[in-house]
């Protein structure tokens, strides 16, 4: 029960943090996209710092959950962060949940339940050797680099989705490496942890993932990035957990079918919720929702942030 509560608490903090961060990121200079200067500019915004505080709290809670439960159990629960993000956005935009919103919530909840019940995730399996460990990590990093390279060739709206997918892959890897680090800390102590590469990889994955997701938040409305981020993270985390952590899932035909159905329901539910009107399309949409007069609205920048969603090409 503690693992469930910690994971859901982490999901709540992450969802609230993502919404606040995105509101701030859309006011960052357009030239900062995918540059480290973006993080420096965002640090000057109180709203972004508050969102980052929620995000850090979510990461700490998820680390505690990962220390007590398997990655393949915690990751699907973390995917519920989109529900909490939707709840905050609903307050800001005053949008009712409606049939599509409830359908997304139901699909996400049923998908998480089906995967956990059918898969019955357990740990204790033999960890993979160094070669397999590095193959899994290299595959995730390679896919991340490929997505970023492809994103740079696309219009901003599509670029935001691919950047969020790349960030989700890194966050899933980060979760798996976090569990490796906490296991080594419990069994071998702090000195052994500091001599290993995993904790430093956790930091690098977290910082690079933060840059990618903030760039995605800056490039396009939240609904173009958060669903992709939320869907990619559990898939990457579960793959890494099974790949090199020794997590085990039931592999009978019936169990595999239900696990696949659960993952599909999670992804579809995430997409349905992410496209719901309660998730604001832009800062302008949000301010209109809370009744701010036009003269108080911040400048949306260039056409790339056009809340109509036309997705004009970048022209640098």
């Amino acid at each position: 029960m503690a693992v469930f509560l910690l994971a859901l608490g982490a999901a709540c903090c992450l969802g609230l943090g993502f919404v606040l961060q995105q509101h701030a990121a859309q006011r960052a200079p357009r030239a900062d996209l995918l540059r480290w200067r973006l993080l420096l500019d965002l640090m000057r915004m109180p709203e972004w710092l508050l969102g980052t505080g929620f995000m850090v709290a979510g990461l700490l809670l998820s680390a505690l959950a990962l220390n007590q439960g398997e990655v393949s159990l915690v990751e699907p629960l973390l995917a519920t962060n989109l529900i909490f993000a939707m709840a905050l956005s609903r307050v800001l935009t005053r949008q009712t949940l409606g049939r599509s919103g409830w359908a997304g919530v139901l699909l996400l909840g049923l998908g998480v339940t089906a995967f956990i019940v059918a898969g019955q995730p357990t740990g204790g399996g033999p960890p993979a050797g160094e070669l397999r460990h590095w193959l899994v990590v290299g595959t995730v990093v390679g896919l991340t680099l490929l997505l970023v390279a492809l994103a740079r060739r696309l219009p901003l709206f599509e670029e935001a989705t691919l950047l969020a997918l790349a960030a989700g892959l890194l966050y899933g890897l980060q979760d798996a490496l976090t569990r490796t680090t906490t296991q080594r800390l419990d069994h071998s102590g702090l000195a052994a942890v500091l001599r290993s590469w995993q904790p430093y990889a956790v930091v690098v994955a977290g910082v690079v993932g933060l840059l990618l997701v903030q760039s995605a938040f800056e490039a396009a409305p939240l609904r173009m990035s958060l669903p992709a981020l939320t869907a990619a993270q559990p898939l990457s985390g579960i793959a890494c957990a099974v790949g090199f952590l020794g997590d085990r899932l039931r592999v009978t035909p019936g169990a595999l079918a239900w696990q696949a159905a659960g993952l599909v329901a999670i992804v579809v539910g995430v997409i349905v919720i992410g496209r719901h009107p309660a998730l604001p399309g832009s800062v302008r949409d949000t301010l209109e929702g809370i009744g701010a007069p036009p003269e108080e609205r911040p400048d949306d920048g260039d056409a790339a942030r056009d809340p109509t969603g036309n997705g004009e090409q970048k022209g640098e």
Side-chain angles (χ1 to χ4, degrees):
M1 179 60 70
V3 174
F4 283 88
L5 294 177
L6 288 170
L8 290 177
C12 177
C13 291
L14 290 172
L16 299 180
F18 286 148
V19 172
L20 294 172
Q21 285 180 332
Q22 194 269 345
H23 286 175
Q26 284 219 330
R27 297 196 297 272
R30 166 69 179 82
D32 286 355
L33 190 70
L34 279 181
R35 296 179 180 176
W36 296 109
R37 190 174 59 194
L38 172 62
L39 299 182
L40 296 178
D41 288 339
L42 290 174
M43 288 178 186
R44 301 188 181 98
M45 301 182 184
E47 186 180 24
W48 188 84
L49 292 176
L50 178 60
T52 302
F54 276 112
M55 184 178 177
V56 170
L59 292 175
L60 292 175
L61 289 174
S62 65
L64 292 174
L66 290 165
N67 188 44
Q68 299 186 35
E70 288 69 41
V71 175
S72 48
L73 170 64
V74 174
E75 287 292 350
L77 295 172
L78 292 180
T80 61
N81 75 78
L82 192 57
I83 296 176
F84 297 101
M86 191 176 186
L88 176 58
S89 292
R90 182 175 179 269
V91 172
L92 294 176
T93 61
R94 298 176 184 174
Q95 290 277 352
T96 58
L97 202 56
R99 291 182 180 179
S100 63
W102 281 114
V105 170
L106 184 62
L107 277 172
L108 183 55
L110 290 177
V112 170
T113 303
F115 181 86
I116 293 174
V117 172
Q120 296 182 3
T122 58
E130 284 295 318
L131 177 58
R132 185 174 173 184
H133 203 124
W134 282 106
L135 282 175
V136 175
V137 173
T139 299
V140 174
V141 173
L143 287 174
T144 300
L145 294 175
L146 178 62
L147 286 171
V148 174
L150 291 174
R152 297 300 290 158
R153 300 174 179 271
L154 296 175
L156 278 181
F157 274 48
E158 289 79 2
E159 180 178 6
T161 300
L162 290 191
L163 291 178
L165 281 172
L169 293 179
L170 281 184
Y171 283 155
L173 174 62
Q174 181 189 35
D175 290 339
L177 293 177
T178 297
R179 178 158 175 78
T180 301
T181 302
T182 57
Q183 286 178 333
R184 181 171 282 117
L185 181 63
D186 290 341
H187 297 153
S188 305
L190 181 60
V193 169
L194 295 177
R195 289 194 300 268
S196 63
W197 60 269
Q198 284 88 349
Y200 307 104
V202 168
V203 175
V204 172
V207 173
V208 175
L210 181 65
L211 175 63
L212 292 176
V213 79
Q214 299 307 316
S215 296
F217 287 167
E218 180 192 14
L222 196 65
R223 64 174 66 100
M224 299 300 299
S225 54
L226 192 54
L229 172 68
T230 306
Q233 182 173 349
L235 296 177
S236 173
I238 291 169
C240 290
V242 175
F244 62 76
L245 281 179
D247 279 19
R248 294 175 174 175
L249 300 171
R250 291 177 63 194
V251 292
T252 63
L256 289 175
W258 278 107
Q259 290 169 49
L263 289 176
V264 170
I266 290 173
V267 173
V268 173
V270 162
I271 293 173
V272 170
I273 296 174
R275 301 292 180 176
H276 193 273
L279 282 182
S282 67
V283 175
R284 181 182 297 275
D285 291 345
T286 301
L287 289 172
E288 287 176 350
I290 61 178
E295 61 271 18
E296 294 181 8
R297 298 171 190 159
D299 184 10
D300 279 352
D302 51 29
R305 294 192 185 92
D306 182 8
T308 62
N310 294 327
E312 294 183 20
Q313 293 282 348
K314 300 184 293 287
E316 294 182 330

